[in-house]
Amino acid sequence: MRLTEIYIYGYGKFNDLHIKNMGDFQIFYGENEAGKSTIMSFIQSMLFGFPGKQQTSQPRYEPKTGSSYGGKLVMATGKFGEVVIERVRGKAAGDVTIVLEDGTIKDEAFLRELLNGMDRQMFESIFSFRLEGLQQIHRLKEEDIAKYLIAAGTVGTDLLLQAEQHLQKNMHDLFKPGGRKPRMNVQMKKLREQEQLLKHARQENAQYETLLQKKESVKQAMRELEELLRLKKEQLRNYENLYKSWPLIMEAEQIKSRLEQVGPVDFPAEGIARLEKYKDQLIHVSSALATAKQKWAETKEELEAHAPMPGFQQSRAELLVQGWPSYEQADEKISLIAKEIEDYEKETAYILKELNLSEHIFSAMHEFNLGMDMKAKLKEQVRQYVRLEGKISDMDDMLNNELVLLKKCEETCKDIEHNLIDEETFQKWKKQYDMHASVQSAEQEKRTLEREIERLLEQKSREERVRAQKRKQSFIINGLFVSLFAFVFIWSFFSNQWIFALFSIAAILYSVMMLSWKRNNDGLYDESIRIKKEQLKTMEETIAKFDGRTDLFSRFERQLQLREEWKQAYHQLEQQREKVDQVKDQYETVRTAMSANQKELNEIKKAFGLHESFHNLKLEDAFQLLKRLQETKERIHDLKKQWRMLSRKQEEWHTGIKTFLSALDIRVTDPSEAVFTIKELLDKERKKQIVFQELKKKLQNLQTDALFYENEQKEIRTHMSTLLEAAGVETEEAFRKKADLFHETEKLSQRLDLLASQIDPDQLVPEFQTAGELKGEMAILKDSINNDEEKMERYRNQLAALTQEIRFLENGGTYTEHLHHFYHLRSTFNEDAKKWTELAAAKAILEKTLQKYQEERFPKAIQKAEECFSILTGSEYRRIFLREDGNLLVERKDRTVFTPIEMSKGTGEQLYTAIRLGLIHVLREELPFPVFIDDGFVNFDQKRTQRVLQLIKQVSSNTQVLLFTCHPHVIEHLPGEHVLELDEQSFQLSGAQ
């Protein structure tokens, strides 16, 4: 996971700030109050939410200018591609929106998945370096430093260590083995004393326990008997309710039996009333129809008598003549429709051929889902297929390039290994090289000794000249002093002034000693010169033993250079192998997505009836063709429908004209000739119709009436048949019988519902055959209840007697008081013991968690930490290991082992840094987050600063590092890196972008 861009809408002092093209090793440089901590807090707030208003330890950085609160981050991830995380003011932690590379929008639940469940506290403890973490080492006790470093290498923080210490302290406050002051230890002592007092009191009341056991036995018997009485009384109540409801239950059983016998009866609503109504209507219509038919027959006879031509129907003839233009138009339309259908069928055949579809698929075209949703889904899947295919192609090229680089790295390692000598020869050359270094040092020391001897000789000569001059002056002065004090001594001796005599003797002796001391100083230079000459002689003998093989030393230095080159080349090889593995993992991820996409496309092909071999990129064109095919099928269906309708009309007209002419005994086959014949007859008949127009009109009216009554009669009979079918019968008599049966079942069902509301559902299936049997069972149950109640009364009397005896014994006072006090002490002790057990369980779980981390995660972190620690200390320390007693040890290159407390302050900080970086390296696959460093190494000197920056630069090749600093010397050690300079007026991005 890599941070590429930062957009700040409003956060702290920043408004509308955009930082882009962030590097793998990004440096934020600025003085105090420039905004470094604000940017770090902004990144963490975007990932984990704004701090709550109640969280005083973490400022919210709300903008003071009234601008929008929040912003967004652009991150590059291996799994989801480029991800945009936007968070603005909303709920307590803010409203967050995640936009994926393909435009998909996700919510906060997806963000938790993206962060692998990481929260702010865990993130800061693992991926955030601060000065406080390094200084914490020097504030700990000696026995806690190793635990602190182990915690830094397992979970990144000492919070678990603090929690463990807090639990241990609380446990010791409650109980401590062999302790006297902890609360539970005091309570245990009091409890033992009270138990002895209680035993003594209990012995005085020997029969007390026996009475208590009897009392408890009687109580248990009473409880069992009381429960038995409750069950029997409840059963008696159920029997009594059943006895009261017995007639209703029997009636319900008879109704159920009758309903089961009859079975379900289907009968239309108000069937009899509807049948009577239809019969009345049928009688009335039949009578009117008979009258109309009689009048029509009479009028028809009269009309036939006056008809100019038998069988000629003028109206029909006129209709047939009027239908002739429609016939011709229909004929033209049929020809056009046939042509259009032929064209559509050709187009259909072409599309089916293009898509390789069968006629069977074409017949099922109406079932295809060709709506907008399917079109959108198809477009999205094809677009995803194109994108994934491009990615696979790019991944192939990338994998090939990485494999080429891997092969080059392997060849480089092999070339270097070919030029390396064996280890035995290398060690032999090394000894000679070290001897050569000793000789060079000896030569330099020889020159130094020669210069020192010359300097001492010159100084001795100069001192002798000065001393000779001063010696003369000293002899004169000391001689005067000796003479003077000799005179004083003689005077004091003869005048008995012994104090002056002693003083004179001391002065004379001092003067003589001074002269003697000055003479002895002349040998100091000689002794120094003698020692230097002996050292010079030793150096010359050492140099004389050297054979002078200078060519061997250049080859040995070349071997040293080759071994260093081999280490670098092997490191590059390991990095390249990791890159190849990463590319392969990405490739497999894309292939999996490609398989899922192909499966979706195959499902779409199957839904469209296409073969799986159909090219994916042609699916959108196929969709359009299928859409066109579906529309064509609908159009053909509509055209054929029109064709059939027109053909039917033509056939009806043609049949009508043939029938008309046949009725007149005229034989004409050509339609146009038939129309011409009818027109002639029509002209003749129109002249005749004037005579019998009135008769015809009357006949038509009568015919209309008769037709109306016939239709009415048919409709009524149809309704009656439908009514009988609804009842499932064929005759009216069966219909009436079924109506009676239906009314009977309806009444019985209503009565059964009424009975069901009056009877308990559990009583609907009685367990007795007769009421007498039920009554006998009730009598037996009542007798049993009376016997049990008498037994209960005896138990109560016995319990009262026992209670009185126990109360008499307890009123003595001693046993009762001791018992109460004992239970009180035991209750208090149990509560404290429960608290101690909870604390012990929590401590055990915490220790298991730490042990699991130490066994699984810590060895891997230590392995990487050793490499980092070696770089930080200039290869001064070579190993870090954990002993069985849990203590952390460090081994120097000379095999000397140190505990963390024995190391210097600076080295301890380097060890902490190495362990933290080792943990980040172990977690980078599971938690690939950027590393934040906030001036964590300001206490390092120049060399250590240079080494730690070199190490961080190596770390940034796999994990993005964001360094926040206010020290210019840090920038000087990192030329060419991404540096963002912050000040009050502007923001400048310098360095390689």
Side-chain angles (χ1 to χ4, degrees), residues 485-504:
F485 284 113
F487 175 76
V488 172
F489 173 75
I490 295 170
W491 173 80
S492 300
F493 180 77
F494 287 106
S495 59
N496 295 324
Q497 298 291 330
W498 304 111
I499 296 175
F500 286 102
L502 292 174
F503 176 75
S504 299

Side-chain angles (χ1 to χ4, degrees), residues 528-626:
S528 297
I529 291 171
R530 185 186 62 78
I531 293 172
K532 298 292 182 183
K533 286 182 177 180
E534 289 178 356
Q535 292 178 353
L536 180 61
K537 184 179 180 181
T538 303
M539 294 298 171
E540 289 174 347
E541 291 175 355
T542 301
I543 293 171
K545 293 178 181 180
F546 177 63
D547 59 0
R549 293 181 59 189
T550 57
D551 58 332
L552 177 65
F553 305 144
S554 60
R555 284 187 287 167
F556 178 74
E557 290 175 351
R558 175 57 181 165
Q559 286 296 317
L560 289 176
Q561 182 181 359
L562 285 174
R563 286 175 180 256
E564 187 64 28
E565 290 176 358
W566 183 85
K567 289 181 181 178
Q568 295 178 0
Y570 187 75
H571 180 66
Q572 292 178 355
L573 177 62
E574 290 297 319
Q575 291 181 337
Q576 189 60 33
R577 285 174 177 170
E578 291 180 0
K579 287 183 180 180
V580 171
D581 293 339
Q582 290 176 359
V583 172
K584 287 182 178 180
D585 293 341
Q586 295 175 2
Y587 186 80
E588 288 300 322
T589 303
V590 175
R591 291 294 302 176
T592 303
M594 189 69 174
S595 299
N597 173 257
Q598 186 62 49
K599 184 177 180 182
E600 289 290 335
L601 289 174
N602 289 339
E603 291 293 332
I604 293 174
K605 292 177 186 177
K606 184 178 180 182
F608 290 165
L610 299 173
H611 195 268
E612 289 188 0
S613 61
F614 194 85
H615 200 283
N616 295 332
L617 297 179
K618 295 182 179 180
L619 278 175
E620 291 189 76
D621 296 335
F623 180 86
Q624 298 297 333
L625 290 175
L626 289 171

